[in-house]
Amino acid sequence: MSQSRLDLFVDRMVSQRACLDYAAAAIADVPGPVFELGLGNGRTYHHMCHIMPTRDIFVFERAIASHPDSTPPEGQVLLGDVYDTLPQALERFGPTAALIHADLGGHDRVKNDIFARNVSPLVEPLLAVGGLMVASDRMYFEGLVEQPLPEGAVLGRCFIYKRVA
Ligand SMILES: C[S@@+](CC[C@H](N)C(=O)[O-])C[C@H]1O[C@@H](n2cnc3c(N)ncnc32)[C@H](O)[C@@H]1O
């Protein structure tokens, strides 16, 4: 039997947590800001603040509608469509991000894949050497190397990429 929507949701949640926990430890010695693409309710943002309390975490979101406990300070938000704000971030930060987490997708897998293909070239130049990109959808990078998933993450529910040079 195929998975229920609840199964898929649980797999996505446990995978996000496992990948973010792994990534936070792996980039401990990589300087630079952390980017959260897609705030939504703010659950993953809240977790990132919890596990990386000393990092500058910048949030990319077109409309803030998060839980009050998970709402970033105004100065840490790049408000607008990522097609606009990612190029603006490249001008502002250069290739300095130690970790980029993306959870921008909705319920339509085909649309998510098209979006991931389109947004990948805008994400890739932001990552620092040694930095990691964690995504809920497969991304399409030219120079980043896909990494094995940590224990607890579900194959196909999350993806990790690294800039090795
Ligand atoms: C699945 S939710 C993120 C959930 C979040 N990880 C959490 O734990 O609550 C996806 C978010 O991405 C945002 N988003 C989707 N496409 C976007 C775009 N092109 N530009 C900016 N934000 C976008 C949506 O507004 C939505 O809030």
Side-chain angles (χ1 to χ4, degrees), residues 12-13 16 20 36-48 60-67 70 78-86 101-107 115 119 136:
R12 188 167 130 247
M13 296 298 107
Q16 284 178 341
L20 287 172
E36 167 76 323
L37 311 186
L39 178 65
N41 182 282
R43 288 189 194 94
T44 48
Y45 169 72
H46 191 267
H47 191 69
M48 290 161 75
F60 295 66
E61 173 60 60
R62 60 182 161 208
I64 302 291
S66 49
H67 186 281
S70 313
L78 286 91
L79 194 63
D81 195 293
V82 291
Y83 285 114
D84 299 319
T85 55
L86 287 170
H101 173 243
D103 183 22
L104 290 160
H107 297 297
F115 185 63
V119 88
S136 296

Side-chain angles (χ1 to χ4, degrees), residues 34-116:
V34 167
F35 295 159
E36 167 76 323
L37 311 186
L39 178 65
N41 182 282
R43 288 189 194 94
T44 48
Y45 169 72
H46 191 267
H47 191 69
M48 290 161 75
C49 293
H50 193 65
I51 60 176
M52 296 177 283
T54 61
R55 288 276 179 180
D56 273 333
I57 303 180
F58 292 89
V59 173
F60 295 66
E61 173 60 60
R62 60 182 161 208
I64 302 291
S66 49
H67 186 281
D69 284 352
S70 313
T71 300
E74 210 175 291
Q76 305 285 114
V77 178
L78 286 91
L79 194 63
D81 195 293
V82 291
Y83 285 114
D84 299 319
T85 55
L86 287 170
Q88 290 163 8
L90 185 59
E91 280 184 25
R92 177 174 169 189
F93 298 99
T96 61
L99 170 63
I100 303 174
H101 173 243
D103 183 22
L104 290 160
H107 297 297
D108 185 326
R109 282 195 183 191
V110 175
K111 276 191 188 165
N112 290 348
D113 186 59
I114 293 167
F115 185 63

Side-chain angles (χ1 to χ4, degrees), residues 135-156:
S136 296
D137 295 296
R138 175 174 296 288
M139 303 296 282
Y140 296 88
F141 297 126
E142 284 188 359
L144 308 187
V145 181
E146 190 168 351
Q147 303 293 298
L149 295 181
E151 198 182 328
V154 180
L155 204 64

